[in-house]
Amino acid sequence: MNRILILFAHPALEKSKVQISLLKAAQSVDGVTIHDLYELYPDGLIDVVYEQDALTEHDIILFQHPFYWYSAPAMLKEWQDLVLEYGFAYGASGNALRGKTLANIISAGGSKNSYSTHGHNRYSIIDLLRPFDQTANLCGMNYLPPFAVHRTHDMPKEKIEMYAELYRQLLWKLQRDLPSEETLASLRYLNDWVQS
Amino acid sequence: MDSLLQAFIFLSAGVVAVPIASRLGLGSVLGYLIAGVLIGPFALNLLHDATQLMHFAEFGVVMMLFLIGLELQPSLLWRMRFPILGMGGLQMALTTAAITGIAMYFNQPWQTALAIGLILSLSSTALALQILAEKKLMNASSGKSSFAVLLFQDIAVIPIIAILPLLAITAPLTNVDTANIAAVVTADAHSSGGGNLIAHLPGWQQTIIVVMAVVSIILAGRFLTRPLFRFIADSKLRELFTATALMLVIGIALLMTTVGLSPALGAFTAGVVMADSEYRHELEANIDPFKALLLGLFFISVGASIDFALLGSKPIVIMEIVLGLVALKFIILLFLAKLFKIPGGGSYWFSFSLAQGGEFGFVLLASTLENRILHKETIDILTAAIALSMVLTPLLILFNEKFVIPRFKEDKSTTTADEEPMEEQDNPVIIAGFGRYGQIVGRLLIGNDIPVTVLDHSATHIERVRRFGFKVYYGDAGREDLLHTAGADKAKVLVIAVDDREKAKSILKMAKHSYPHLLVHIRAYDAMHYHELKSEGADFISRELFLSSLSMGEKTLQALGMRAYKAKRQARQFAVHDQKTTDRLGEHISDNKRYISESRHAQEEVLNILRGDRMSYRTSEDHSWDATGHE
């Protein structure tokens, strides 16, 4: 069974509708560890040793966050800068993360179509997530396509619940399995893998 | 009345001569010496008994040695062991050997020659340190080296005094004679009324008693002074502290006199023993004015006691001795300076400032008379020679400054100003007040390896925190002299953490006035106090309970279910808003010329703040991360 660690970053969860539902969904799955970064470190002082120990003890690392400005909220960047140290995550002796799996769980205001060459966001989600992809690569991790919730701002409650349920299933499935090489070759969203 | 008149004469001579001498660039020491000559028996003859005066004023040397001892923690002494032993030891050995050789050449028996050699090898601590301090060279390598040599000499006086009785070639005088001579010659016979009580004992017994006296001072200094000062400090009467400090120094002087030792050495030993004491700075601040006055008096009396009659009767011999002595010492010192690589002009400062006979010479000469080591005539001549060599020093320093040092100016790296500072006992941060507030500041700094000088005037406080390894000194930071001793002229930041608002303000005022370079970080009692401190030019002001209350508010918001990060931001925003409100009200205060009672004002202020709070929360609604564009 894959042990899952979710690094959750949302600076104003009290204003969120989608992310709070996703978070609750994750909390309902047994054996999933969640680090709520803004709640744990309101003054930005990240406990690096604690975070690194958590990484060592898990197989799948999920960055769950709103897709602010085509990236993660500041705290998650801070987390990467501090926790993914040379000698731990990368470098000659830095192989603590080797063979583990990384994926982003994101919520975005724009539609799926807007994230394309023709859409107003001009790039696909996969393209925009390249920095995470390469971060995983440098750390010797396997990077999966994202689980994404699009068009969040006017999303009806039922639809949010639907996504929360889908996310719950994703976590359950990830605990037991990972997408195969062949699946990954054509997979653009983890959403599709759960439903397959 | 008569003694008051005498005191008036001294003071006015000093007050007139010293500023003029300083203005002319001659230095204060020469000023005092000239003043002494002027009021002495060979000019205006306003003095009754210059010798007696000198003995009284020698007490200034006792105090100076006590203060020097206080500066010398055993650790500092240990770090200076090589220059002290090497330079100091060589200086004494070479000078003593040379002078002894010359004296033997003039047909003196070896014992007499050795006694003269030992006595003349000493330099004047009072004179040299005063000059070096005045030229701001104490931290330069020339100053450090001079200090090392002087220290070795000062320590060497102890064995010299013990050895001198063994050099006697005839039987000691009878008891009565000794007392008579002591009354004429030794400093301390007058001030104490006692005199040497052990002079009649055989040499070896005297030596044992001397050692025992020194050991008793060390033990008493280590184990008795701290409880004593604590007891005195608890009384919170400042003059009592001064009285205790003086009592201590005078008591040591008396004890030393009783056993026939130099009181200065006893005081020095006591000083070293107490150098680790938390009361050190306060002691320094209390003794220093007395020392300065008495040293001035000492220099005056040296000037006044120059025996121009003797000088007139044997001008050639005395001048030969003086010039020979100064030249010989200078050459040996210069050789040492080169040997120990004192850079450039520093070697000349070092050599000129130490090329003279010292005040210990007077004391030792007195004891040679008691012990019948030297003839009265020889002693008179040597005494005059030492005094004249001391007069010559400021002149030589002047010569050095005007003609020798300028030649080194081109080579920047060797000028004294560029030399590395002395042992880092001058901490960059001074914390005034080490209660609950100051301790946190101190712990953070010390945790970051920043050495901190701490002043506090609660003895119980000090006792407690010293157990945890803090270096805390007893004292009132509101006193300029104490702040100076704590190193305010070299420190970067003064943290005023005292809880008394008026006290805090007065320390701030004084620090800003005397040390404009010093950044003052200060603890404010409330907003009103904050404004007062701001107008006095404090560089950083922290309201004492503000951050603590703020974090209490933040945690309370969190307990009610607010997300930690939001609570944190709300608290921070409140702090910004509160700062603005406070500053705005501060401007209002300075605009408003009419008097508003403090309490009334404070009340009004609270209302204004509350009104402002509600308004600001309406306007500064947090729009951050609103789910418009993104999620």
Side-chain angles (χ1 to χ4, degrees):
Chain A
M1 186 135 134
N2 295 321
R3 295 161 298 176
I4 297 176
L5 170 66
I6 296 174
L7 295 159
F8 177 77
H10 199 306
L13 191 64
E14 62 277 2
K15 293 179 178 177
S16 142
K17 293 192 184 71
V18 176
Q19 283 290 353
I20 187 98
S21 303
L22 294 183
L23 184 65
K24 280 178 183 157
Q27 284 162 343
S28 72
V29 181
D30 281 346
V32 172
T33 311
I34 301 170
H35 285 188
D36 184 347
L37 297 180
Y38 278 95
E39 189 68 7
L40 273 175
Y41 310 116
D43 47 12
L45 207 62
I46 291 169
D47 184 341
V48 174
V49 175
Y50 173 73
E51 294 296 326
Q52 288 180 346
D53 288 349
L55 286 175
T56 313
E57 286 159 17
H58 291 83
D59 308 300
I60 299 175
I61 316 300
L62 301 177
F63 289 167
Q64 183 185 336
H65 56 90
F67 199 45
Y68 287 164
W69 286 111
Y70 313 105
S71 185
M75 182 74 80
L76 189 57
K77 180 63 166 62
E78 181 89 338
W79 183 96
Q80 295 171 57
D81 296 347
L82 294 173
V83 179
L84 302 180
E85 274 180 320
Y86 178 85
F88 170 80
Y90 70 103
S93 62
N95 42 30
L97 305 180
R98 209 155 290 272
K100 296 184 191 293
T101 301
L102 179 71
N104 291 67
I105 313 297
I106 56 173
S107 54
S111 68
K112 216 172 192 174
N113 287 336
S114 74
Y115 286 96
S116 69
T117 333
H118 311 293
H120 68 268
N121 288 315
R122 296 174 57 223
Y123 299 98
S124 72
I125 289 278
I126 297 244
D127 285 338
L128 293 169
L129 285 171
R130 291 287 186 228
F132 291 98
D133 188 347
Q134 174 52 21
T135 299
N137 181 266
L138 189 68
C139 299
M141 302 170 86
N142 304 307
Y143 186 69
L144 302 182
F147 177 89
V149 182
H150 283 288
R151 292 187 58 96
T152 54
H153 53 275
D154 53 357
M155 188 174 274
K157 211 173 175 195
E158 309 78 58
K159 205 165 179 199
I160 294 176
E161 282 310 314
M162 191 271 285
Y163 274 111
E165 180 52 32
L166 192 62
Y167 185 39
R168 200 183 342 256
Q169 287 171 22
L170 170 70
L171 293 173
W172 192 88
K173 196 169 178 183
L174 278 173
Q175 284 180 325
R176 286 154 185 84
D177 193 13
L178 281 167
S180 65
E181 292 277 338
E182 305 88 75
T183 320
L184 278 177
S186 59
L187 191 65
R188 298 196 54 217
Y189 284 98
L190 277 178
N191 308 40
D192 304 330
W193 181 63
V194 192
Q195 283 159 331
S196 67
Chain B
M1 222 29 235
D2 189 52
S3 55
L4 277 185
L5 182 65
Q6 288 281 299
F8 180 74
I9 291 169
F10 292 131
L11 293 173
S12 33
V15 167
V16 172
V18 173
I20 293 177
S22 293
R23 200 62 61 84
L24 293 175
L26 302 175
S28 71
V29 175
L30 198 55
Y32 281 121
L33 290 168
I34 292 170
V37 172
L38 285 180
I39 62 172
F42 299 93
L44 298 174
N45 196 18
L46 295 171
L47 282 184
H48 287 321
D49 188 349
T51 327
Q52 193 180 344
L53 171 70
M54 191 198 286
H55 296 327
F56 173 66
E58 266 170 11
F59 204 70
V61 183
V62 174
M63 289 178 162
M64 177 178 224
L65 264 287
F66 180 69
L67 292 178
I68 291 173
L70 276 182
E71 290 288 338
L72 280 171
Q73 288 115 311
S75 58
L76 185 62
L77 211 55
W78 181 244
R79 256 182 293 167
M80 288 180 70
R81 63 195 181 278
F82 295 119
I84 291 173
L85 291 179
M87 235 187 284
L90 268 178
Q91 187 273 337
M92 288 242 11
L94 292 177
T95 315
T96 305
I99 295 174
T100 307
I102 294 170
M104 283 172 75
Y105 176 78
F106 285 104
N107 295 322
Q108 297 286 343
W110 72 266
Q111 291 98 330
T112 313
L114 181 58
I116 294 175
L118 285 170
I119 289 168
L120 292 186
S121 69
L122 301 172
S123 308
S124 171
T125 306
L127 192 69
L129 290 190
Q130 179 82 11
I131 287 172
L132 289 168
E134 216 164 281
K135 301 291 175 201
K136 300 205 187 320
L137 289 173
M138 281 314 289
N139 286 337
S141 71
S142 53
K144 279 192 274 186
S145 307
S146 305
F147 183 73
V149 170
L150 290 167
L151 185 67
F152 183 86
Q153 293 180 355
D154 293 346
I155 295 169
V157 175
I158 299 176
I160 292 177
I161 288 181
I163 288 168
L164 276 182
L166 307 176
L167 292 177
I169 41 176
T170 52
L173 299 183
T174 65
N175 232 349
V176 181
D177 287 342
T178 312
N180 284 342
I181 292 158
V184 180
V185 193
T186 43
D188 328 299
H190 286 280
S191 44
S192 70
N196 191 338
L197 295 181
I198 62 164
H200 60 283
L201 296 174
W204 65 272
Q205 282 185 11
Q206 288 191 30
T207 311
I208 289 176
I209 291 176
V210 161
V211 170
M212 278 169 55
V214 173
V215 169
S216 70
I217 284 182
I218 292 174
L219 292 179
R222 188 136 293 258
F223 300 109
L224 293 183
T225 49
R226 193 169 287 174
L228 172 69
F229 280 120
R230 219 192 131 181
F231 175 68
I232 298 299
D234 275 337
S235 76
K236 300 198 188 305
L237 293 170
R238 183 185 291 170
E239 66 278 10
L240 213 56
F241 205 100
T242 311
T244 315
L246 281 177
M247 181 193 83
L248 191 76
V249 178
I250 294 173
I252 293 162
L254 279 176
L255 172 68
M256 291 288 97
T257 312
T258 313
V259 301
L261 250 191
S262 155
L265 290 160
F268 173 76
T269 316
V272 174
V273 173
M274 283 185 252
D276 274 332
S277 157
E278 61 272 35
Y279 300 103
R280 176 182 133 203
H281 288 298
E282 183 80 4
L283 274 173
E284 279 176 358
N286 274 303
I287 300 280
D288 197 70
F290 292 100
K291 177 214 83 175
L293 267 180
L294 282 176
L295 273 187
L297 203 54
F298 173 72
F299 294 132
I300 288 182
S301 64
V302 169
S305 68
I306 294 173
D307 191 343
F308 286 93
L310 184 68
L311 198 60
S313 66
K314 291 175 182 143
I316 308 292
V317 178
I318 294 179
M319 284 328 281
E320 275 173 359
I321 294 178
V322 171
L323 294 178
L325 175 68
V326 172
L328 180 73
K329 289 191 132 186
F330 178 80
I331 290 166
I332 292 174
L333 287 163
L334 198 58
F335 165 72
L336 288 176
K338 300 293 174 203
L339 190 67
F340 285 88
K341 300 195 170 53
I342 299 177
S347 59
Y348 285 90
W349 281 116
F350 169 76
S351 309
F352 277 118
S353 62
L354 295 181
Q356 78 285 105
E359 57 276 354
F360 282 128
F362 297 132
V363 178
L364 293 175
L365 282 172
S367 85
T368 61
L369 186 59
E370 287 164 41
N371 290 308
R372 282 253 168 145
I373 300 160
L374 300 176
H375 295 294
K376 177 88 175 70
E377 195 197 354
T378 318
I379 291 172
D380 286 344
I381 291 176
L382 291 180
T383 306
I386 291 177
L388 282 174
S389 73
M390 286 166 76
V391 177
L392 207 52
T393 302
L395 294 170
L396 288 173
I397 288 290
L398 203 60
F399 168 79
N400 180 44
E401 194 171 24
K402 292 275 178 284
F403 299 105
V404 181
I405 294 304
R407 288 172 41 207
F408 291 95
K409 279 286 183 252
E410 285 151 36
D411 188 357
K412 260 285 173 195
S413 65
T414 61
T415 56
T416 46
D418 285 21
E419 285 170 20
E420 51 165 7
M422 203 168 173
E423 328 286 339
E424 287 303 323
Q425 40 179 325
D426 330 317
N427 294 335
V429 180
I430 301 169
I431 299 180
F434 211 54
R436 291 174 300 163
Y437 194 101
Q439 280 175 34
I440 293 175
V441 181
R443 279 166 53 198
L444 178 60
L445 290 167
I446 289 166
N448 284 279
D449 288 329
I450 291 163
V452 173
T453 304
V454 177
L455 299 172
D456 197 293
H457 59 263
S458 151
T460 36
H461 246 160
I462 293 171
E463 205 69 18
R464 202 173 49 229
V465 294
R466 269 176 80 90
R467 256 178 260 143
F468 297 99
F470 284 104
K471 282 255 169 191
V472 188
Y473 296 100
Y474 175 82
D476 177 355
R479 293 178 55 183
E480 212 245 288
D481 48 357
L482 191 63
L483 209 53
H484 182 83
T485 341
D489 51 338
K490 290 157 210 136
K492 285 200 183 75
V493 187
L494 167 67
V495 179
I496 302 175
V498 297
D499 54 3
D500 180 330
R501 50 194 293 170
E502 287 311 313
K503 181 99 232 162
K505 204 161 94 177
S506 74
I507 300 174
L508 167 67
K509 272 190 196 173
M510 190 265 293
K512 275 288 161 197
H513 175 258
S514 307
Y515 307 99
H517 77 281
L518 194 61
L519 288 174
V520 180
H521 290 190
I522 190 163
R523 161 189 182 181
Y525 179 77
D526 57 11
M528 202 55 206
H529 196 214
Y530 173 91
H531 297 311
E532 291 168 16
L533 298 174
K534 199 175 174 194
S535 67
E536 293 294 347
D539 297 284
F540 174 74
I541 313 166
S542 174
R543 277 180 286 154
E544 58 181 15
L545 294 176
F546 187 74
L547 286 179
S548 159
S549 317
L550 201 63
S551 98
M552 181 63 83
E554 179 191 325
K555 290 294 167 197
T556 307
L557 286 174
Q558 230 176 298
L560 293 174
M562 189 182 280
R563 296 263 301 165
Y565 190 63
K566 173 159 188 188
K568 170 73 67 188
R569 283 177 51 85
Q570 291 299 98
R572 278 194 201 151
Q573 249 161 12
F574 180 83
V576 171
H577 149 79
D578 182 78
Q579 187 64 50
K580 278 187 201 150
T581 316
T582 310
D583 286 343
R584 203 176 50 240
L585 283 171
E587 284 162 30
H588 182 67
I589 289 172
S590 54
D591 290 345
N592 198 344
K593 289 266 151 60
R594 75 210 147 96
Y595 173 80
I596 305 172
S597 81
E598 210 169 280
S599 62
R600 166 94 197 283
H601 196 103
Q603 243 178 343
E604 211 171 297
E605 191 188 51
V606 170
L607 285 176
N608 276 330
I609 288 175
L610 290 176
R611 222 170 285 143
D613 284 350
R614 232 173 297 137
M615 276 174 58
S616 88
Y617 277 114
R618 215 164 292 142
T619 50
S620 79
E621 186 71 33
D622 194 354
H623 295 295
S624 320
W625 302 295
D626 274 356
T628 42
H630 307 293
E631 100 93 272

